[in-house]
Amino acid sequence: MTAIFQFRVLVAPAPDDTQTMGILALDDTSAVEIAPEENTGLVHFDRSAPSLASAIATATLDLERLGLRPCRPGQRELVTIPEAASRFALAVEDFRARLTGTLSERHAPRPIRKYTVGDEPVFEWPELAEWTRNRIGYVIPDDGPTLDAAGLAMRLRLHIHAGDVPDIDTLTALVTPPREHRRENPRSTDDYSGSNDSKADANEQE
């Protein structure tokens, strides 16, 4: 099972015009932001993959093939309802129906005024995620460890490509622990989507 994962990747230095065209030619790249004063770029992805880790890994390789240097992944802070539903691994219309039924309440999150993506209103993700967890009860994935690990992997690759760390192979060997110490990733899309379904089933039984 695959899901759409929305995230952004910081690249430094900033992409030039040719690289920007190459980024936008990728099927699942939604935007590129350039910060000239910092000489950096932010590449926004909507990538289909079995996991967030897989999505970031393939995006990293795509950017490197364009001659860019990915430095750090991050989560997008502004989301539409379809994007939020994807983060919860839920069907868009099911999530929209549940969410819309609560948005008239006094303390419900409000969409950002005068800002839409197509016909979709845009929300601030932290506010929408907290409301969804507390009011509707959907489980929110903890993407922090995946983003941290991906950021470390990106920085390690920068040093490997630069060749500025003597005997770096002894350090890269630390990245893969002995097999008996490995643990299965609990955040596969199958397990994750089931977590909300199980919660809904339990609510119905009550």
Side-chain angles (χ1 to χ4, degrees), residues 196-206:
N196 284 324
D197 292 341
S198 298
K199 192 176 186 72
D201 292 342
N203 290 336
E204 289 177 3
Q205 291 173 5
E206 290 177 0

Side-chain angles (χ1 to χ4, degrees), residues 5-11 15 19-35 40-47 59 63 66 68 76 78 83 115 117:
F5 293 93
Q6 292 88 13
F7 57 94
R8 59 190 182 185
V9 176
L10 176 72
V11 295
Q19 290 169 326
T20 298
M21 290 177 62
I23 293 170
L24 295 176
L26 298 172
D27 291 338
D28 51 9
T29 306
S30 60
V32 181
E33 298 179 42
I34 306 295
T40 61
L42 273 178
V43 184
H44 296 255
F45 286 93
D46 300 307
R47 178 150 292 203
L63 293 173
L66 293 170
L68 295 164
R76 299 209 315 235
L78 300 180
E83 185 169 345
Y115 183 28
V117 176

Side-chain angles (χ1 to χ4, degrees), residues 157-166 168:
R157 290 178 68 82
L158 289 175
H159 287 298
I160 291 172
H161 293 320
D164 57 359
V165 178
I168 195 171

Side-chain angles (χ1 to χ4, degrees), residues 45-199:
F45 286 93
D46 300 307
R47 178 150 292 203
S48 177
S51 66
L52 176 59
S54 176
I56 295 175
T58 56
T60 298
L61 296 176
D62 284 344
L63 293 173
E64 287 181 349
R65 278 190 283 269
L66 293 170
L68 295 164
R69 298 192 304 179
C71 300
R72 186 175 66 249
Q75 199 170 54
R76 299 209 315 235
E77 296 301 313
L78 300 180
V79 298
T80 61
I81 288 179
E83 185 169 345
S86 178
R87 293 189 184 186
F88 285 104
L90 296 166
V92 173
E93 293 311 316
D94 289 346
F95 178 68
R96 189 192 305 277
R98 292 292 302 276
L99 181 64
T100 302
T102 69
L103 288 183
S104 61
E105 298 178 13
R106 181 177 178 184
H107 298 292
R110 295 287 180 259
I112 299 173
R113 294 183 61 188
K114 299 181 179 180
Y115 183 28
T116 61
V117 176
D119 294 329
E120 292 285 346
V122 175
F123 296 82
E124 294 187 9
W125 168 247
E127 183 182 16
L128 184 63
E130 182 178 4
W131 173 262
T132 303
R133 181 184 65 241
N134 295 335
R135 179 64 181 81
I136 302 179
Y138 285 140
V139 178
I140 300 173
D142 181 7
D143 290 333
T146 298
L147 294 171
D148 287 344
L152 290 171
M154 287 179 183
R155 290 195 292 277
L156 181 59
R157 290 178 68 82
L158 289 175
H159 287 298
I160 291 172
H161 293 320
D164 57 359
V165 178
D167 197 20
I168 195 171
D169 288 346
T170 60
L171 297 177
T172 58
L174 295 175
V175 176
T176 305
R179 183 172 296 276
E180 60 270 18
H181 291 163
R182 298 181 190 175
R183 298 176 58 189
E184 292 296 325
N185 182 2
R187 274 218 54 210
S188 70
T189 52
D190 289 336
D191 293 341
Y192 172 49
S193 61
S195 63
N196 284 324
D197 292 341
S198 298
K199 192 176 186 72

